[in-house]
Amino acid sequence: MPMTQNIYDDETFFAGYSALPRSIHGLDAAPEFPSLCALLPAMKGLRVADLGCGFGWFCRWARGAGAGSVLGIDVSERMLARARAETKDVAVRYAKTDLETAELPPGAFDLVYSSLALHYVVNLERLVETVYAALAPGGRFVFSVEHPVFTAPSVPGWREIDGRKMWPVDSYLDEGPRTTDWLAKGVIKRHRTIGTYVNTLLRAGFTLAHLEEWAPTAAQMVAHPEWDGERERPSFLLVGCGR
Amino acid sequence: MPMTQNIYDDETFFAGYSALPRSIHGLDAAPEFPSLCALLPAMKGLRVADLGCGFGWFCRWARGAGAGSVLGIDVSERMLARARAETKDVAVRYAKTDLETAELPPGAFDLVYSSLALHYVVNLERLVETVYAALAPGGRFVFSVEHPVFTAPSVPGWREIDGRKMWPVDSYLDEGPRTTDWLAKGVIKRHRTIGTYVNTLLRAGFTLAHLEEWAPTAAQMVAHPEWDGERERPSFLLVGCGR
């Protein structure tokens, strides 16, 4: 059985992750969140699941936006411990579950959300089928993953080439594990093409509603000139689809 | 009004294009054609339009596969002259039309096809809306374009980096013209993201059926080891959608 590496419970990784702006300041520090937010339905009364909920920022946001109930799922005990400590709301529940083997009750949710978690999952097809079955008719699945241009390279990183900041790509069509040293040594992510993400959704029965290769807006670029690389190559893929 | 550059009637370009394997040997020399073909419906009796038909290879193939009638559209007089000369079939017609301004009769086609032409079109939105209106309910739109990873770079080309053959990417999120020297100097293509292609289709009313970032099969790699770069970065994007 495939197993997702639980790097978030690695002490070094967790310390590094906890120091990221989005871990300290939450959704306000996630520059792609407004774009992801635009793909969400009206939240009032919805039954929501968040796959890879981390510290629970989105779970609490969803309740604040009117969701009726929220289930946050994560494999990391350290993250769930902080999520539980920071959540005072009985309509938000957390469960420790590996996304590789997660079971969800059929038709129990109106929205399934996932931020930057699915690129860790080995068996994406199984998870997408589980999400489809867990949604009520008319339900939505909205998620972000690291963009394949970002995950593809055998040795990822910026290079200056003829005076231009460039992102050299190789191995794009060779899907599978990619090991990088991000916050800790030996973090394993799964590279797959946009085609694979899209066709896996369509095969499961989803209808695609929106696909976005995120880039900072002009206003964001003014506020954060250090994000200039984000216009050179995409780092996030945002997807909205419906059952 | 935007105008597509008609580079195919440039003498130097046309001579170079005519010498390409796919211009001499047709669809058999287009390695992505089998994958595109897999997105086509059963052709028997279909009314087909081919946008950017070139020498008419696909138009004749479609008739051979059972299509009832085929309309090939292209802006290049040189290409249409050869297409007409090589087509002895009254059910295949050709028309000189710029895809920027093309008008198609509403509901008149069951399949609209386009191979490697839409990345020349400035006003994609208008053309996609025209195609949608030209399809009968249940009709299909199947096309290929140059992949955004291929079109994005300000200076496209392979580089050897740390002993690896890599394709440096920049400007991915900056959509617009890209001028390259391919067969002739100053060939202008339009770079747009996969997100833009997909969302333009969805906004027009299409349902996405398949999206593929083409790569050669293992068998093709054995027969053509010189295509090794095609596994490093995608050069073709294939899309199938339905009205």
Side-chain angles (χ1 to χ4, degrees):
Chain A
M1 184 160 46
M3 282 264 300
T4 312
Q5 177 193 40
N6 177 10
I7 192 72
Y8 285 80
D9 277 344
D10 173 278
E11 196 169 336
T12 308
F13 185 95
F14 186 79
Y17 189 84
S18 298
L20 292 179
R22 65 177 65 204
S23 300
I24 297 167
H25 305 293
L27 301 173
D28 289 343
E32 79 285 10
F33 185 67
S35 300
L36 206 49
C37 212
L39 308 187
L40 298 175
M43 301 292 290
K44 180 94 181 138
L46 296 194
R47 300 162 296 166
V48 177
D50 180 359
L51 310 181
C53 64
F55 295 140
W57 293 106
F58 179 78
C59 296
R60 294 186 294 274
W61 178 90
R63 271 287 286 169
S69 64
V70 185
L71 172 64
I73 288 173
D74 209 288
V75 74
S76 160
E77 308 222 13
R78 287 172 188 264
M79 301 199 83
L80 289 175
R82 182 173 148 190
R84 289 193 178 102
E86 295 185 0
T87 305
K88 311 290 174 209
D89 184 340
V90 292
V92 178
R93 290 182 306 122
Y94 296 101
K96 175 172 167 16
T97 310
D98 188 340
L99 293 181
E100 296 298 344
T101 52
E103 307 275 353
L104 295 169
F109 300 98
D110 306 300
L111 168 67
V112 174
Y113 173 91
S114 179
S115 170
L116 300 177
L118 301 188
H119 53 263
Y120 292 110
V121 173
V122 179
N123 195 341
L124 182 69
E125 191 156 18
R126 182 202 168 279
L127 180 60
V128 167
E129 287 167 0
T130 301
V131 170
Y132 187 82
L135 283 168
R140 310 285 281 187
F141 183 25
V142 174
F143 66 89
S144 64
V145 287
E146 287 187 359
H147 193 286
V149 166
F150 186 79
T151 57
S154 54
V155 184
W158 294 108
R159 297 286 179 138
E160 190 175 315
I161 296 172
D162 298 341
R164 293 275 311 173
K165 179 177 183 169
M166 301 191 85
W167 181 263
V169 170
D170 67 352
S171 312
Y172 187 94
L173 279 312
D174 287 317
E175 302 187 303
R178 294 291 190 277
T179 304
T180 60
D181 297 339
W182 178 61
L183 306 178
K185 283 202 178 297
V187 179
I188 304 172
K189 297 171 184 171
R190 304 285 151 174
H191 167 68
R192 41 179 72 92
T193 65
I194 295 181
T196 293
Y197 279 113
V198 167
N199 296 331
T200 301
L201 292 165
L202 298 179
R203 269 198 307 270
F206 281 107
T207 301
L208 194 71
H210 190 84
L211 186 148
E212 185 169 336
E213 298 166 281
W214 181 80
T217 62
Q220 286 176 318
M221 287 298 292
V222 170
H224 295 277
E226 75 278 13
W227 294 348
D228 61 330
E230 300 304 309
R231 296 203 65 84
E232 306 298 339
R233 63 99 179 85
S235 48
F236 301 129
L237 177 68
L238 317 183
V239 179
C241 54
R243 168 170 180 163
Chain B
M1 182 161 43
M3 283 263 302
T4 313
Q5 177 194 38
N6 177 11
I7 192 72
Y8 284 80
D9 277 343
D10 173 276
E11 196 169 337
T12 307
F13 185 95
F14 186 78
Y17 188 84
S18 298
L20 292 179
R22 65 176 66 206
S23 300
I24 297 169
H25 304 293
L27 301 173
D28 290 343
E32 79 285 10
F33 184 67
S35 300
L36 205 50
C37 211
L39 308 186
L40 297 175
M43 300 293 288
K44 180 95 180 138
L46 296 192
R47 297 162 297 166
V48 177
D50 180 0
L51 310 181
C53 65
F55 295 140
W57 294 106
F58 179 77
C59 296
R60 293 186 295 274
W61 178 90
R63 270 288 284 169
S69 64
V70 185
L71 172 65
I73 288 173
D74 209 288
V75 75
S76 160
E77 308 222 10
R78 287 173 189 261
M79 300 199 84
L80 289 174
R82 181 174 147 189
R84 289 193 178 102
E86 295 185 0
T87 305
K88 310 291 174 208
D89 183 340
V90 293
V92 178
R93 289 182 307 122
Y94 295 102
K96 176 173 166 20
T97 309
D98 187 340
L99 293 181
E100 296 298 346
T101 52
E103 307 275 354
L104 295 169
F109 300 99
D110 307 299
L111 168 67
V112 175
Y113 174 90
S114 180
S115 169
L116 299 177
L118 302 187
H119 54 263
Y120 291 110
V121 173
V122 179
N123 194 341
L124 182 69
E125 192 155 17
R126 182 202 168 278
L127 180 61
V128 167
E129 286 166 0
T130 301
V131 170
Y132 187 83
L135 283 168
R140 309 286 280 185
F141 183 24
V142 173
F143 66 89
S144 63
V145 287
E146 287 188 359
H147 193 286
V149 165
F150 186 79
T151 57
S154 55
V155 183
W158 294 107
R159 296 286 178 139
E160 189 174 316
I161 297 172
D162 298 341
R164 292 276 311 173
K165 179 176 183 170
M166 301 192 86
W167 180 263
V169 170
D170 67 352
S171 312
Y172 187 93
L173 279 313
D174 288 317
E175 302 186 304
R178 295 291 189 278
T179 304
T180 60
D181 297 338
W182 178 60
L183 306 179
K185 284 201 178 296
V187 179
I188 305 172
K189 296 170 185 174
R190 305 285 151 175
H191 167 68
R192 41 179 73 91
T193 65
I194 295 181
T196 293
Y197 279 112
V198 167
N199 296 331
T200 302
L201 292 165
L202 298 178
R203 270 198 306 273
F206 282 107
T207 301
L208 195 70
H210 190 84
L211 186 148
E212 184 169 336
E213 298 167 281
W214 181 81
T217 61
Q220 285 177 319
M221 287 298 291
V222 170
H224 295 276
E226 74 278 14
W227 293 349
D228 62 329
E230 300 304 310
R231 297 203 65 85
E232 306 299 339
R233 64 97 181 86
S235 48
F236 302 128
L237 178 68
L238 317 184
V239 179
C241 54
R243 172 175 177 162

